[in-house]
Amino acid sequence: MPSDHWTLGFDTSAAHCAAALLRAGELVAECHEDMARGQAERLMPLLEEMLAGAGIGWRDLSALGVGIGPGNFTGVRISVAAARGLALALRIPAIGVSTLEARAFGLPRPVLTVDDARRGEAYVQRFTDVGESAPDLCALTEIAVTQADALTGTAADALHELRGTGTVRASAMPLAVAIARIAALRAQDGTPLPRPAPLYLRGADALPPSDPPPQLLDA
């Protein structure tokens, strides 16, 4: 990878604002700020601070990596929209990376990533040496676990307690760092990639109003 190849990865798919900056695949800076809200206002300043701290500007970037979920509906939209806009303005690739893949990155296979989706459910995806399953949303009680599985993600402990098998493992690196590393590898490969798009496994929590619409009266 060229020494001037800079990759910026970021994620707002949960109650955080996270970013990582790589140069030629090596970590230069990483930041994770917990926040229940305000990601839309914080994301761009955070990225600008990270670039300034490394002594580079937006035009020095070669690629972007962005977390596409699954996760918080609004949070995923914030980061994906930012990545698309930056990619268009800078004329560089923006590469979408699922949080499930990012959590499994760098861990020995087989890995079962399980992230808490609330309501007794989890986002789940299995990664093996020969491939990966499709990401899914299902009840914790429906997830099969083998003794060989490494369990990672925010619901790994709960699943291990429920099933009593498998081995809980922490992710090999912070989420934004994994997103940046995966994006850097895919950008280096040179294969054309689609624009990042949110990975929604569940619809938005917002429900339509239950009250009947107002009736129009004849004048």
Side-chain angles (χ1 to χ4, degrees):
M1 185 178 295
S3 61
D4 59 348
H5 192 287
W6 292 88
T7 304
L8 179 65
F10 51 92
D11 180 79
T12 57
S13 63
H16 62 242
C17 199
L21 181 65
L22 307 180
R23 182 180 185 182
E26 297 298 320
L27 182 63
V28 174
E30 184 266 334
C31 181
H32 181 107
E33 296 182 2
D34 291 323
M35 56 182 67
R37 60 185 62 189
Q39 290 95 330
E41 294 78 16
R42 180 60 182 140
L43 178 60
M44 293 306 294
L46 175 66
L47 300 182
E48 290 175 348
E49 291 165 11
M50 183 165 285
L51 296 181
I56 65 170
W58 290 107
R59 296 289 175 183
D60 294 304
L61 294 175
S62 303
L64 300 168
V66 60
I68 60 171
N72 177 273
F73 186 85
T74 301
V76 171
R77 290 178 61 187
I78 290 168
S79 53
V80 169
R84 285 184 173 185
L86 287 169
L88 183 63
L90 301 174
R91 297 185 178 182
I92 60 175
I95 298 155
V97 179
S98 85
T99 53
L100 300 174
E101 179 184 7
R103 294 197 194 282
F105 185 70
L107 292 179
R109 271 39 177 171
V111 179
L112 189 64
T113 304
V114 278
D115 268 359
D116 184 19
R118 297 175 298 168
R119 309 173 190 172
E121 296 179 316
Y123 302 117
V124 59
Q125 189 171 15
R126 182 180 296 278
F127 300 86
T128 70
D129 289 329
V130 296
E132 60 197 51
S133 66
D136 197 10
L137 171 67
C138 54
L140 272 175
T141 55
E142 297 175 353
I143 301 174
V145 180
T146 70
Q147 186 175 357
D149 284 334
L151 307 178
T152 194
T154 58
D157 287 326
L159 181 60
H160 182 264
E161 182 177 350
L162 179 67
R163 292 301 189 201
T165 191
T167 303
V168 176
R169 290 183 178 271
S171 295
M173 62 197 73
L175 181 62
V177 177
I179 289 170
R181 290 199 185 282
I182 294 169
L185 290 172
R186 290 181 179 161
Q188 183 183 15
D189 180 69
T191 303
L193 296 168
R195 291 196 310 166
L199 176 60
Y200 295 138
L201 299 180
R202 172 189 285 158
D205 288 334
L207 298 175
S210 57
D211 296 332
Q215 294 183 348
L216 298 179
L217 302 178
D218 294 334

